Amino acid sequence: MAGLKHIALILLLVALAPFSGSAQDRNAIDVEEILNHLRDRFNRIQDYQVDLQVSLDMPMLRMPRKNMTFSFKQPDLTRLEARGFAMVPRRGLALSPDSLLQSLHDLELAGDTLIDGHLCAILQGREQGLDDLDLQARLFVDRNLWLLRGLSTYLDDEEIFRLRTEYQEVAPDIYMPSLTQLRFQVNERFLRGRRFRNEHFDPDIPEPVLPEGQDLTGEAAITFNNYRINLGLPDSYFQEDTQVEE
């Protein structure tokens, strides 16, 4: 009888083994699965072209609504065509998830939330920046369609950058942005830190002179129309200089 109890205990431990990893290990698997879903979704597209309407309202830089054509080819070829001066915040474009997430580290699953009625997983991590600035980032990933609905950057728990994206179905089960809105609001402490390490400046935030006691705020909006998907664009098409703001 004792032998049967011993065997039963062993079987119970074996059955529980797949669930006995640490919470940190399970969390890491969840994060990687979510990132793989993002990659799988985006990799359905080999290349695309889209017409953009972009408007910028930033201190010392204001660009009324401007028409452009943006082209992309896997893994990271881009081209922006416009008449006259034009610029686009890089984070506002539909680029590969890895190119947009390469500056984020130590991602962990931090729960779920609703973004415009869509259930989204929250991925939280550190954003590469200055040694003396605690920059945190949160990604909001649609759990149904596996799309990046939003991105926020925080300094000392204060949101300094926000991106939100709406999507449209441009081909069967292929979703691309229809509208992306960006907003930033940073203080003097953030700008002082940025001046010492220019190579880590946020690509979406310029460096104007900030009036004493005031925050720096700005907004951008990108509207996407007339997608052309999987055209077979040659690499040579992208050899001309691009105007995508880095």
Side-chain angles (χ1 to χ4, degrees), residues 136-200:
Q136 301 291 323
R138 291 179 186 170
L139 310 176
F140 304 95
V141 180
D142 188 316
R143 281 191 176 274
N144 181 35
L145 296 176
W146 303 114
L147 303 168
L148 184 63
R149 295 266 175 200
L151 167 65
S152 294
T153 300
Y154 300 84
L155 172 61
D156 299 332
D157 296 326
E158 180 180 354
E159 186 179 56
I160 62 173
F161 174 79
R162 169 181 289 202
L163 176 149
R164 295 292 184 268
T165 298
E166 300 174 10
Y167 289 86
Q168 57 184 306
E169 189 175 17
V170 299
D173 205 30
I174 293 180
Y175 293 83
M176 298 294 286
S178 58
L179 173 65
T180 293
Q181 296 175 302
L182 307 93
R183 184 178 188 277
F184 65 84
Q185 180 172 350
V186 298
N187 54 35
E188 177 62 26
R189 175 171 175 257
F190 179 78
L191 293 181
R192 284 200 308 268
R194 280 162 45 100
R195 294 186 185 115
F196 293 105
R197 296 277 294 280
N198 183 71
E199 68 271 23
H200 290 311

Side-chain angles (χ1 to χ4, degrees), residues 9-36:
L9 178 59
I10 292 175
L11 292 175
L12 178 61
L13 292 175
V14 170
L16 292 176
F19 306 94
S20 62
S22 68
Q24 182 177 2
D25 291 339
R26 293 197 299 273
N27 183 65
I29 293 173
D30 290 340
V31 169
E32 191 59 30
E33 287 178 351
I34 290 173
L35 295 181
N36 284 336

